[in-house]
Amino acid sequence: MSVENAGAPHFPFPYQPYPIQEQFMQALYGALEHGKVGIFESPTGTGKSLSLICGALSWLRDHEEKRRQEADRLLQGDGGTSLSISSSLSTTTSSTPPSSSAEPDWITDFVQKKAERDFVSKLKDEELRRKKREEHLEMIRNNSQLKYALKRKVEHNIIILLYDLLEEHVTKVYLGFLGYFSYVEFCPWSTPLSVCVFARVFHQIYYCSRTHSQLAQFVHEVQKSPFSQDISLVPLGSRQNMCVNEEVRRLGSVQRINDRCMEMQKNKHVEGGKRKRGAPKAVCPYVGAQGLQTLRDTVLGAVRDIEQLLSLARETRSCPYYATRLAIPPAQLVVLPYQTVLHEGTRRASGVQLKGQVLIIDEAHNLSDVLSCIHSSELTGAQLCRAHSQLAQYSERYRSRLKAKNLMYIKQILFVVEGLVRVLGGKLTFPSLCLPVTELLTINNFLFKAQIDNINLFKVTTTTTRSQPQHTAIGTEIGEGIDGFYDTLSVPLSLSPVESPPGQQGAAEERELAASPMMQVEGFFMALTNANTDGRVVLHTQGNVAVSSMKFLLLNPAVHFSQVLKDCRAVIIAGGTMQPVSDFKQELLFSAGVGAERIIEFSCGHVIPPENILPIVLCSGPSGQELEFTFQNRDTPHMMEETGRVLSNLCNVVPGGVVCFFPSYDYSRRILENWDASGVLARLSSKKKIFQEPKKANQVEKVLNEFSHVAFWKDSLLFSVVGGKMSEGINFSDDLGRCIVMVGMPYPNIKSPELKEKMAYLDKNLPHSGGRSPGQALIENLCMKAVNQSIGRAIRHREDYACIVLCDRRYSRPATLAKLPDWIRAHTHTHTSFGPAFASLRRVIHTHLQWIIHTHYVCRAHAL
């Protein structure tokens, strides 16, 4: 089915779309057409992914068709060609000021005609490349003559050169007309037909989300869409997720996998060139040119998620990590995780080009936090010591083979690392103790304290990025060798007066050894190149230098998002719960230089009927105790017992599963201990089987599966935590979540040094509005975003129903209610006493139970 309105675009859809889906696609189409930054909110269960797919790909289809028609019009053979070309050229050169000196007419005519000939030549080249690309993709999809791309065999050193180009600086040839942007990647084995496959398409859509499972779900939606047979889609992932070499995968750590992969590519380059003395080094058998090219074509030929791609790669013994990067330029839709697109260095290394393209950021409710996290960096004393020792050994061993310039850069890096160690309490001359303290510094003050303010960190960062030894040779050829540098510290690690807690020392050492220290140091150097006002450095010094740490905290995420917004034709920021958006726009868009005229907002309701949801703000409990879980009174016995009575009454009438969210793990532990001592927990367990969210991530799936099984056959109660493992990305549909209970308001810890500094930064740099400071608004928004994510776990489809109970009278404040999603706020009822609230909840539950019983008997009668 499709949507067809007068003057509206045509949207292919796998089924008759809901009205809100039609509105969503119309708004999305308009945003892409006019180059907007769109904030789109669509509740989970409303088909947001399909709406994004069909709306965006419909625009891409129509936009490419308009480009083709424009090109055909300019290349037509009638008398209007010169006029059309002249008109197009005048639009591209209108900004050029006219020459002050008058030229003869014959010179002007000659220049004009030459420009027209050049323009037509470029236009024909682009059209030829486009047609060849489409023919080649069609050949791949029909699975015919696939071996055509394997005409030439490449030497190993050439393929490694290609990898270096992809990782560092892709050789580009720019061709432009009518706003088109394309480039040809350097490919030694390219035939005339395979060259067109490397040509970047005119427009691409980049879709990114938080996790690989969410990306896989999106790809499955594309496979179900009407575009599945016509779109060329490439899924990207990290080496950890895409490596098929079991020897490398067993390393586990992301850094160790990256280091080993790059080392094996370097070994292949050496093996393919001049062989050195000694035993042959390990190379990866999955990076053959023929296999990569075949897998690249297969990726472009059909829509596959990463799991399907990995299975195919194992069969063909080809590397999916490099094959997918070879497939980026001709792909129409690229699916990739946040890190790959939001971090400039990773984006450049992956071959992702955002200039003039469309970017869709899904699950973007925490986009500001994600940007801050991606561009923050942390170093421990142990990592600094290992990095210094390894680099010093490298410099000593290869001193005679290093150029004087490179040796100077290595000494600079060593000097900076020594300064960082001194900041953590390590002394190279005389012993002293490191007293436990937390200190927060500006970037400049930190550089002064470390005595490295005279070092050009931009140059040092460039050196560490371009040079390979610190990534591979140091850790493998030279060895760890950290004892020599540890001995120079004032507090030797083996003689530290403060020992690591039992059970934590081994885990900490394992994490340290798992990651390449120079990669971490490089990341911290890069963080220190931010502007002084955009970040802070937090020092945590303890009695042991090894466990002391320094962390760079990014305060202004807009500084790294601004380039993305500038490069992209359009950016779509989508999520199920985007509220509140006012401060989000101020912090991330306006601060990045985006004008209000470029921003559009779209928010739609849910597909469920109004009677299927009952949000309640509960101001008091059954005994009349006022419910206000402030820090001062939430631990009182009266408040805890009243909360237990509220939950007991709810469990009496709500069938299936009840999910109760507490503001923190610590408060969850305290209130459950109180209930266990007072007998409340026993009363609850007599009505429903009780489950509790575990702290360890590897136990979450087991608890969730048990809860789901019990809730399907019997009533169950799950105690969870806001911001925990089960508050985001978990589906509590149908009987898994007939009632969501939110105990208190999960405000963040305002005593945190990092949060205090963030609030101070916002108060200083953002405008005040509504009688509150931007810092206060941040606290409220963090709280309500967490609440919205938690209560959004229920009601996942049209026939679903649930009750949402907000247990705290502070939810009744108009400013707080305004931060709830529209589709929840519109139906929210505030009750000052427990009786009316309980009656309305029981009435809704009874109505739906009667409807279920009626439906059961009708279906049974039809069956008989």
Side-chain angles (χ1 to χ4, degrees), residues 22-35:
E22 298 178 7
Q23 298 167 12
F24 187 104
M25 291 186 289
Q26 291 280 359
L28 177 62
Y29 192 100
L32 300 184
E33 182 66 20
H34 298 99

Side-chain angles (χ1 to χ4, degrees), residues 393-560:
Q393 291 181 68
Y394 175 80
S395 174
E396 185 65 27
R397 175 170 295 189
Y398 298 105
R399 178 181 297 272
S400 60
R401 295 162 55 183
L402 290 171
K403 295 180 180 178
K405 181 180 179 181
N406 293 334
L407 192 59
M408 179 192 68
Y409 286 141
I410 291 177
K411 289 182 178 179
Q412 282 189 345
I413 297 173
L414 288 171
F415 179 79
V416 173
V417 172
E418 290 169 5
L420 299 183
V421 173
R422 282 194 297 268
V423 168
L424 292 180
K427 302 293 182 180
L428 301 177
T429 56
F430 56 89
S432 65
L433 289 178
C434 305
L435 299 178
V437 64
T438 297
E439 188 177 6
L440 197 143
L441 303 168
T442 64
I443 297 177
N444 288 344
N445 288 340
F446 174 78
L447 297 178
F448 293 145
K449 186 180 178 98
Q451 300 178 9
I452 56 174
D453 53 291
N454 60 330
I455 300 296
N456 185 347
L457 286 177
F458 290 94
K459 192 67 176 178
V460 172
T461 301
T462 304
T463 303
T464 58
T465 302
R466 288 183 177 177
S467 56
Q468 290 296 320
Q470 67 266 28
H471 296 314
T472 53
I474 294 178
T476 54
E477 282 188 28
I478 304 178
E480 302 296 334
I482 63 176
D483 296 335
F485 185 59
Y486 282 172
D487 293 340
T488 67
L489 297 178
S490 62
V491 185
L493 300 182
S494 59
L495 302 177
S496 172
V498 179
E499 298 296 334
S500 299
Q504 296 184 11
Q505 186 173 0
E509 290 179 356
E510 184 178 352
R511 286 193 299 268
E512 295 296 331
L513 293 175
S516 169
M518 284 307 302
M519 292 290 286
Q520 303 295 326
V521 171
E522 175 190 330
F524 195 79
F525 285 178
M526 183 72 71
L528 292 178
T529 61
N530 281 275
N532 184 56
T533 57
D534 291 338
R536 298 291 183 270
V537 179
V538 184
L539 296 178
H540 296 287
T541 56
Q542 302 184 40
N544 190 326
V545 175
V547 296
S548 298
S549 65
M550 56 183 64
K551 179 179 180 181
F552 174 80
L553 176 66
L554 181 68
L555 299 178
N556 181 19
V559 71
H560 292 286

Side-chain angles (χ1 to χ4, degrees), residues 684-723:
L684 290 174
S685 61
S686 66
K687 301 166 186 175
K688 293 181 179 291
K689 185 174 177 57
I690 295 178
F691 296 88
Q692 187 173 358
E693 176 183 329
K695 279 191 175 183
K696 295 183 178 179
N698 58 0
Q699 298 176 357
V700 171
E701 186 175 357
K702 177 183 177 182
V703 173
L704 190 60
N705 289 337
E706 293 178 358
F707 171 75
S708 303
H709 178 75
V710 173
F712 185 79
W713 298 104
K714 182 184 176 182
D715 296 345
S716 57
L717 172 62
L718 174 63
F719 293 123
S720 189
V721 175
V722 177

